[in-house]
Amino acid sequence: MKKKKQISPTVQPKQKAKPKAKPKPTPSTPSDVEYQQLFDTCVITTAKVAEVDKIIDEKVVANRGRYEDISTMVQAGGVLEQPRAFSTSSMFRNRPYYNAFSGAAPQQLANPVPTVPEPLFQQWPTRPPDFSLGFKPQSNLMGLGYMCQLAGDFNPVAGSRIPWYFIACVHYLECSFSFKKHLHNGDPLTGYTVQVPAGRPKVGHPPPFTFEESAVDALKLMGFDKVTSWKLPFILRKLEAYNGFGYFKFHHMNSPYLWSYSNHYTKGKYVKDGKFDKDAVSAQTGSAVILKRMEERGLIYIPRF
């Protein structure tokens, strides 16, 4: 008997393993949309409104002239002439002189302050609104509240000049509003900076330094003189960057440096470098909360997208 020829079964080709789906990259910062949503839905803690208003009136608005001077000098590329020590309130000093272009004669900054102190809200109506806890700006067709009536900082198109209120918030975060410290990192103006960035400012003369000249150096070092559009998400991202994005990246929470004293923050804080305490509560007002309250009061309007 002949043996039957064995036919080998058909060899099926090996199927290629399906490529594993690449994990989606984790964002390192909130998106522009998230920043805007957080700001628009921010509700300031009622018990803290008076404290926030006090900071705005006594630290932010009271020193607006100095912050505007710094913004002007950064924009013009000028340097201070005849450095001098200023008082902590721009209402009781003359404007510093600056030289926008080398070889040009010194010019005095715009909007000189009269020698006689004037009321804080001198440019406003004779009877300014009552900024009590229950204050709500009057509405108008554009939905900008009382601001339009005050002829305040209404600019729906973000410009290239550093907003004075951004400088004020950086001053708060880095120096707790002290005019005796470098805007770079809070080191004293009596010497060069020691912390990162060290050895600043580069202004062509040894210490001591004025707050204004050091602040101009700090803002230029950060590249803010090259920014062409100052809109809300950009401002919030840069403010959060001053203290890092560790809250967002490692703890999935909103930074207290922006949102403390609001519905967007409860607890959790870095008590020192690299040391996070989930039960610690920030005692500092969030910078975004300050800006939110300033908008509520009609003092500023920050362009969106």
Side-chain angles (χ1 to χ4, degrees):
M1 257 180 96
K2 291 183 179 181
K3 291 183 179 180
K4 292 183 179 180
K5 189 176 180 180
Q6 293 182 349
I7 301 174
S8 61
T10 304
V11 178
Q12 297 293 332
K14 291 183 179 180
Q15 294 183 350
K16 293 183 179 179
K18 292 182 179 180
K20 293 182 180 180
K22 294 182 180 179
K24 293 182 179 180
T26 304
S28 58
T29 70
S31 67
D32 287 359
V33 173
E34 288 173 323
Y35 272 125
Q36 173 134 347
Q37 289 176 341
L38 284 169
F39 192 83
D40 290 342
T41 58
C42 175
V43 178
I44 302 172
T45 305
T46 303
K48 297 294 185 180
V49 172
E51 184 177 338
V52 177
D53 280 342
K54 183 178 177 67
I55 292 173
I56 292 171
D57 292 338
E58 297 182 3
K59 300 295 184 180
V60 179
V61 177
N63 293 301
R64 172 175 176 169
R66 298 190 75 165
Y67 301 134
E68 287 182 331
D69 287 352
I70 293 166
S71 178
T72 298
M73 287 183 279
V74 171
Q75 184 185 42
V79 294
L80 288 173
E81 297 284 346
Q82 301 175 346
R84 70 196 74 173
F86 299 128
S87 68
T88 57
S89 172
S90 64
M91 295 174 61
F92 299 94
R93 66 175 181 85
N94 293 321
R95 298 291 188 192
Y97 285 82
Y98 78 105
N99 196 343
F101 305 99
S102 59
Q107 303 174 19
Q108 195 172 33
L109 294 172
N111 304 318
V113 177
T115 54
V116 179
E118 299 181 14
L120 181 59
F121 301 113
Q122 56 175 326
Q123 75 275 25
W124 292 6
T126 310
R127 297 182 63 185
D130 177 19
F131 293 138
S132 62
L133 295 182
F135 169 73
K136 292 183 180 180
Q138 299 176 14
S139 61
N140 55 56
L141 294 177
M142 297 187 68
L144 297 177
Y146 196 73
M147 175 187 50
C148 292
Q149 302 172 42
L150 303 180
D153 286 340
F154 170 52
N155 180 12
V157 181
S160 59
R161 179 169 174 159
I162 304 175
W164 68 272
Y165 46 82
F166 174 81
I167 300 174
C169 286
V170 174
H171 190 206
Y172 176 46
L173 293 174
E174 293 297 311
C175 310
S176 299
F177 289 119
S178 171
F179 285 97
K180 296 181 180 180
K181 298 179 180 180
H182 289 288
L183 193 66
H184 306 74
N185 53 25
D187 286 343
L189 289 169
T190 50
Y192 290 103
T193 57
V194 177
Q195 303 177 77
V196 177
R200 308 299 299 195
K202 307 292 185 183
V203 293
H205 68 81
F209 306 103
T210 65
F211 176 77
E212 279 76 2
E213 64 185 338
S214 181
V216 170
D217 179 82
L219 295 168
K220 284 188 171 184
L221 183 64
M222 294 295 292
F224 292 145
D225 57 325
K226 298 178 176 63
V227 176
T228 58
S229 181
W230 289 88
K231 296 183 180 179
L232 178 65
F234 178 83
I235 288 174
L236 297 180
R237 179 172 287 106
K238 291 304 178 182
L239 289 176
E240 186 167 355
Y242 266 89
N243 285 281
F245 296 98
Y247 292 99
F248 180 82
K249 291 173 63 176
F250 305 122
H251 303 285
H252 310 291
M253 61 175 287
N254 299 318
S255 171
Y257 291 100
L258 262 64
W259 308 108
S260 178
Y261 290 9
S262 81
N263 58 318
H264 294 322
Y265 172 77
T266 305
K267 63 180 181 178
K269 188 180 186 304
Y270 281 99
V271 292
K272 59 182 179 180
D273 289 346
K275 178 66 175 178
F276 180 79
D277 186 340
K278 63 181 179 62
D279 294 317
V281 179
S282 175
Q284 186 180 39
T285 307
S287 55
V289 168
I290 292 175
L291 296 177
K292 177 72 174 185
R293 182 58 179 162
M294 290 179 73
E295 270 209 354
E296 289 178 349
R297 290 177 52 175
L299 300 174
I300 59 172
Y301 172 74
I302 307 174
R304 275 26 180 195
F305 292 111

